[in-house]
Amino acid sequence: MKLFITGIGTDVGKTVASAIVVEALQADYWKPIQAGDLDFSDTHKVKSLICHTERSRSAKFHPNAYALNTPASPHYAAQLDGIVVDLKKIREPKTDNHLVIEGAGGILVPLNDSDCIIDLIQKDYKVIVVSRHYLGSINHTLLTIEALKSRKISVAGIIFSGDENKATEEIILKKSGSKFIGRIENEPYFDQNVIRYYADKFRDNLLNL
């Protein structure tokens, strides 16, 4: 199974959600494009949050196709590095394991003058949308899902981030027809034990996508 983790914007919890999915499925992890924080990238963060069991040691953390120096939109970060992001050079790693692919920002974040994050999503990917609760998140979540549907990309499920908000969650699930995978609460911190707790909670829903 190949799971593409996207979000309704930046800093909504994609990396924590990715770590939970990796832990739940003992999956491989791949972040095609990293912009900024190269010394402690999202790959480093996910790796640090995974419990190092005998089984998880077989999981691989695949290198970025592009590691850009500036924490900015990939098209601009690439420009500052004197390069252009080329989709043809972003090759999915080969693995017999489950693969978790984490996007950058939202789905319409530009990679270059013509391509966006959404163009990385392949037909065999199951897309998980991470929606963080804030004023306006209903609109941003439904717009994200509509944009995916306009490309004939179905949403496999939604992970909500933030303390429970029944009204928000119910209307998003009703209007989108999407499957609820789980909710990540506003935890004071995230470490291996917290990630494992959520992985155990989400595992069955993930396996049934």
Side-chain angles (χ1 to χ4, degrees):
M1 184 161 52
K2 299 171 185 176
L3 295 164
F4 190 95
I5 313 294
T6 191
I8 63 172
T10 302
D11 293 330
V12 297
K14 289 189 306 298
T15 302
V16 167
S18 295
I20 290 167
V21 178
V22 168
E23 177 70 28
L25 302 178
Q26 296 296 296
D28 286 14
Y29 172 87
W30 180 45
K31 175 106 176 182
I33 300 174
Q34 174 73 34
D37 298 323
L38 298 185
D39 291 333
F40 192 47
S41 67
D42 289 342
T43 302
H44 290 105
K45 293 171 186 173
V46 172
K47 194 171 185 178
S48 72
L49 291 170
I50 301 305
C51 293
H52 299 290
T53 63
E54 194 64 40
R55 187 181 168 203
S56 68
R57 289 193 188 102
S58 63
K60 295 181 180 178
F61 293 82
H62 300 277
N64 311 120
Y66 285 93
L68 308 171
N69 288 293
T70 305
S73 173
H75 82 289
Y76 181 59
Q79 180 183 326
L80 292 177
D81 284 355
I83 61 174
V84 175
V85 173
D86 184 351
L87 283 188
K88 294 178 181 178
K89 294 182 179 179
I90 303 177
R91 299 185 178 92
E92 178 191 303
K94 294 181 180 180
T95 179
D96 293 326
N97 195 10
H98 296 301
L99 178 64
V100 172
I101 306 133
E102 183 182 350
I107 57 171
L108 294 184
V109 166
L111 302 178
N112 50 45
D113 288 344
S114 57
D115 302 308
C116 295
I117 289 292
I118 195 171
D119 295 299
L120 296 174
I121 301 173
Q122 303 300 311
K123 292 181 180 179
D124 60 339
Y125 291 178
K126 294 181 184 294
V127 178
I128 294 175
V129 173
V130 180
S131 175
R132 183 164 186 82
H133 294 322
Y134 56 81
L135 187 62
S137 66
I138 295 173
N139 182 52
H140 294 161
T141 305
L142 295 178
L143 281 172
T144 295
I145 293 170
E146 283 297 315
L148 288 163
K149 288 181 177 178
S150 74
R151 299 283 192 98
K152 295 182 170 54
I153 300 170
S154 61
V155 174
I158 295 177
I159 292 175
F160 290 108
S161 177
D163 295 334
E164 183 178 22
N165 186 321
K166 286 186 178 180
T168 293
E169 294 171 17
E170 287 175 0
I171 198 66
I172 288 172
L173 294 172
K174 183 177 181 179
K175 284 188 169 292
S176 68
S178 299
K179 183 175 181 178
F180 172 70
I181 295 173
R183 181 190 314 102
I184 305 168
E185 305 287 351
N186 277 325
E187 303 288 350
Y189 60 86
F190 288 95
D191 62 10
Q192 291 182 1
N193 290 329
V194 176
I195 294 299
R196 183 167 54 185
Y197 165 77
Y198 282 105
D200 290 341
K201 287 184 66 174
F202 292 7
R203 185 174 293 108
D204 287 345
N205 285 342
L206 290 167
L207 289 172
N208 287 323
L209 292 181

